[in-house]
Amino acid sequence: MNTKGVFTMSRDSIKMVAMLTMLINHIANVFLPAGQPLTNLCLCIGYFTAVTMCFFLVEGYGCTRSKRRYAGRLLGFAVLAQLPYQLAFPANGIAGFVQFNMLFTLLLCFLVLLVQEKIRDRVLRGVCIVLLICASLFCDWALLAPVFTLLFAWAGGNRTRQKAAFGAAALLYGGMAGLGSGQVWEAVGCAVPILVSAFVILYLYNGRRAARGRTFYKWFFYAFYPAHLLVLGLLRLAV
């Protein structure tokens, strides 16, 4: 996925941007009054993160040396992040159930990819994927993240398909938001960050990791999630 432009970004650089946009979204969720223009803008900025991480999850799944260790890292940090997630977002949940954090969602997305690879029977494979997608109802970014993952898995390294996958993701999320709220700005606010992610990945991503600090970046992206949630949760309790 090399680009011809002068300015390019590594996978780690794009993930750092995704961590920043997530932080902006979470600060708005925890501290800013709902419904205000600034709050809505900060929330929309954060929608860049989930679709970007789903893209790199698919890419990482194909490159990892050990799928077992990859899944183990997702599970371990998901468990570690759950209490901080509840501290930061105590009201999150569906029908009275505790909502699980985004790393659990990414673990389910990883299992979707594993099912696609390992289960040959089409019916059984389809049933397992549907069950995993349904399990995401109890997680952050329910339904959408597994569907994004399936879209990027379908696209593979084909650039035309990747454009179609991002376009479908933007239409899906924007359409759901617009139908749910009846507001055009909601639909646009949800679709645009996905299109920004598409531009960054399709036209700026150089297909490589950072030249230096690869071990640091690898663990930073896992550790940042529970760490920033813990800080936000403690600050929420303090104020």
Side-chain angles (χ1 to χ4, degrees), residues 2 5 10 14 18 25 35 43 47 63 76 79 89 96 106 126 134-135 139 141 171 199 206 208-209 231-232 236:
N2 223 341
S10 69
I14 297 173
N25 176 283
L43 293 177
Y47 300 151
C63 298
V79 171
F89 308 117
L106 291 177
C134 290
C139 301
W141 280 86
L171 285 173
F199 174 79
N206 58 25
R208 298 190 294 269
R209 295 190 59 191
V231 171
L232 292 179
R236 185 190 66 80

Side-chain angles (χ1 to χ4, degrees), residues 60-180:
Y61 180 89
C63 298
T64 185
R65 296 178 180 177
S66 172
K67 294 180 173 61
R68 179 178 297 179
R69 285 200 293 268
Y70 196 153
R73 288 193 296 271
L74 286 172
L75 177 60
F77 280 93
V79 171
L80 185 64
Q82 189 57 33
L83 179 57
Y85 182 80
Q86 292 303 130
L87 285 174
F89 308 117
N92 283 13
I94 299 176
F97 290 95
V98 170
Q99 185 181 60
F100 294 100
N101 65 73
M102 184 62 184
L103 290 182
F104 279 111
T105 318
L106 291 177
L107 177 60
L108 291 174
C109 294
F110 182 92
L111 294 177
V112 166
L113 296 174
L114 189 66
V115 164
Q116 275 198 318
E117 179 187 10
K118 299 296 185 182
I119 298 181
R120 300 302 179 188
D121 184 273
R122 294 179 63 182
V123 174
L124 179 58
R125 182 170 67 240
V127 169
C128 290
I129 289 174
V130 168
L131 290 175
L132 288 169
I133 292 174
C134 290
S136 75
L137 285 169
F138 300 99
C139 301
D140 196 9
W141 280 86
L143 302 180
L144 288 166
V147 172
F148 293 165
T149 300
L150 286 169
L151 285 170
F152 294 133
W154 165 78
N158 184 289
R159 196 169 182 82
T160 300
R161 285 193 174 191
Q162 287 174 344
K163 292 178 181 179
F166 275 108
L171 285 173
L172 175 63
Y173 191 33
M176 288 177 61
L179 289 173

Side-chain angles (χ1 to χ4, degrees), residues 32-43:
L32 299 185
Q36 297 300 309
L38 177 60
T39 306
N40 293 332
L41 175 62
C42 291
L43 293 177

